[in-house]
Amino acid sequence: MAERVDAVVVGAGVVGLAIARELALSGREVLVLEALDRFGSVTSSRNSEVVHAGIYYPEASLKTRLCIEGRAMLYAFCEKRGVAHRKIGKLVIAHEASQLPELERLAAHASSVGTGDVGLLDAAQARALEPALDCAGAMLSPETGIVDSHGLMLALLGEAEAHGAQLVTRSEVTAARRLSDGWRIHVGSDAMVDAEMLVNAAGLGAQALARRIEGLGEAHIPKLHYAKGSWFAYAGKVPFGHLVYPLPEPGGLGVHLTLDLAGQARFGPDVEWIEEPDYTLDPARHAPFAEAARRIWPGVEPAKLAPALAGIRPKLSGPGEPNADFRIDGPQAHGCPGLVNLFGIESPGLTASLAIGRHVSGLLRE
């Protein structure tokens, strides 16, 4: 006889934990199944830890709506739960005068979608904020911040567990079968659990899991593309108080300067399209990283840059294709009652996580 709960969430990254928290707060008995031996050890721990304002994405997209909603929710949650964070703002810069029209378009878009106050700065105004900066102009996004992603996940898990949710690690879902009143979820070689609701928040593994869900046709499973990003850490202090980003590039936001809560700097991530997940850090990428860093900060010392971290974006668009939106498919999309699949939850997934949790809960209520 299988154990029965109200909802099973597969995947204990920041998004899965936020969904589990939301469902638990609504009074549901929730079980979170994680294939690895701890929560948040893949995409959720391999990112810039930036709280995004929502300035980049199309107006009608889930990325824009959930990022803007999620940003406000995230700052409020961190304040309430004592999660370390700081709203330090960021500058998006035009390296050359020829890029200024593109910067102006980005600022106009950011204002139109409601990301909060953004302001255009000329080169002198930008250097007044950041004297070490080299640019032809900049856009200031004061709502951008940084957060301790591990502390955030601990707080989400703690609140979910306080409302009855349970996390079980080393529990790979091998199949999900339809029942008349929900789902029978097979875990490992011989365990089973029944649930009215099943949420696939498996991140890089979401497509593979979807193929193990009975009744979900291939037409409802988008192709997955792996976009690897590497970061190089800077040894020593940097003369910056804001995050500094170039204008976006295909596949990502460009190699940017981020700061952690201790003030240490990293440059990254770049974009490298790969066929299979690979977190190897290639020292040969030092030269292009040094050049990208120098375009932001002419005084950078390349010898102080060292490989630090690599992550993989679970993208739904490949090289040369327009950036894809989040895919959050509920029963109305695929016809399977009680099932929600999340695909392509890349940046700004961390920022949007609490809003994603609320959105998924709404889809399941429908």
Side-chain angles (χ1 to χ4, degrees):
M1 188 73 177
E3 175 189 0
R4 186 168 183 90
V5 296
D6 295 323
V8 166
V9 177
V10 184
V14 66
V15 170
L17 294 174
I19 294 168
R21 168 190 173 271
E22 184 72 27
L23 295 176
L25 286 173
S26 71
R28 297 182 176 100
E29 185 181 5
V30 181
L31 182 64
V32 184
L33 299 177
E34 169 56 50
L36 301 179
D37 60 1
R38 62 190 186 278
F39 65 84
S41 62
V42 190
T43 307
S44 296
S45 61
R46 295 174 175 272
N47 60 75
S48 295
E49 296 187 304
V50 171
V51 182
H52 288 284
I55 64 178
Y56 298 106
Y57 320 107
E59 184 170 3
S61 67
L62 280 175
K63 283 185 175 180
T64 292
R65 177 167 69 84
L66 296 177
C67 181
I68 294 172
E69 292 176 6
R71 183 193 72 212
M73 295 172 72
L74 184 59
Y75 281 137
F77 179 82
C78 289
E79 285 289 341
K80 179 181 178 181
R81 300 286 298 186
V83 177
H85 69 289
R86 192 174 305 136
K87 193 185 294 187
I88 61 175
K90 82 172 178 183
L91 294 169
V92 181
I93 63 172
H95 292 299
E96 302 157 355
S98 62
Q99 293 181 310
L100 290 174
E102 185 179 351
L103 187 70
E104 291 167 2
R105 285 192 293 271
L106 182 63
H109 172 75
S111 295
S112 71
V113 300
T115 62
D117 294 334
V118 294
L120 283 170
L121 309 176
D122 62 26
Q125 291 170 321
R127 282 193 294 272
L129 282 182
E130 296 288 2
L133 188 63
D134 181 28
C135 68
M139 182 188 77
L140 174 63
S141 170
E143 290 297 313
T144 301
I146 51 178
V147 65
D148 173 3
S149 59
H150 185 73
L152 172 62
M153 288 187 284
L154 274 175
L156 291 170
L157 177 59
E159 195 161 309
E161 290 179 334
H163 288 81
Q166 181 182 3
L167 168 66
V168 183
T169 58
R170 299 179 181 176
S171 299
E172 182 180 6
V173 173
T174 54
R177 309 294 183 200
R178 290 285 297 276
L179 301 174
S180 60
D181 56 352
W183 297 90
R184 172 155 292 172
I185 297 117
H186 295 256
V187 185
S189 58
D190 55 4
M192 293 183 296
V193 60
D194 292 349
E196 177 188 353
M197 303 169 184
L198 172 61
V199 179
N200 172 7
L204 288 168
Q207 277 87 340
L209 174 59
R211 292 187 176 91
R212 298 195 288 269
I213 297 175
E214 183 181 64
L216 187 70
E218 193 69 27
H220 297 292
I221 306 173
K223 182 176 175 57
L224 172 63
H225 301 270
Y226 298 114
K228 181 178 178 180
S230 299
W231 285 263
F232 275 60
Y234 193 75
K237 292 184 177 180
V238 296
F240 292 94
H242 297 79
L243 310 180
V244 183
Y245 280 59
L247 285 162
E249 64 179 33
L253 300 181
V255 172
H256 45 267
L257 166 66
T258 60
L259 302 168
D260 65 19
L261 289 159
Q264 294 300 300
R266 289 187 302 187
F267 289 90
D270 57 357
V271 177
E272 179 187 0
W273 297 99
I274 57 177
E275 293 298 320
E276 295 293 337
D278 172 18
Y279 296 99
T280 304
L281 286 162
D282 183 1
R285 302 185 83 80
H286 181 277
F289 267 90
E291 178 58 29
R294 188 180 292 110
R295 297 197 76 193
I296 293 172
W297 177 25
V300 69
E301 297 181 50
K304 292 185 175 182
L305 286 168
L309 181 70
I312 298 171
R313 308 165 182 89
K315 296 188 75 68
L316 302 184
S317 52
E321 298 175 351
N323 286 327
D325 199 4
F326 292 154
R327 278 275 300 270
I328 305 178
D329 295 353
Q332 290 186 348
H334 50 59
C336 297
L339 172 67
V340 175
N341 285 307
L342 294 95
F343 301 115
I345 310 299
E346 52 170 331
S347 181
L350 185 152
T351 304
S353 56
L354 287 162
I356 291 173
R358 187 169 64 183
H359 181 69
V360 168
S361 181
L363 291 175
L364 291 170
R365 283 196 304 271
E366 290 174 7

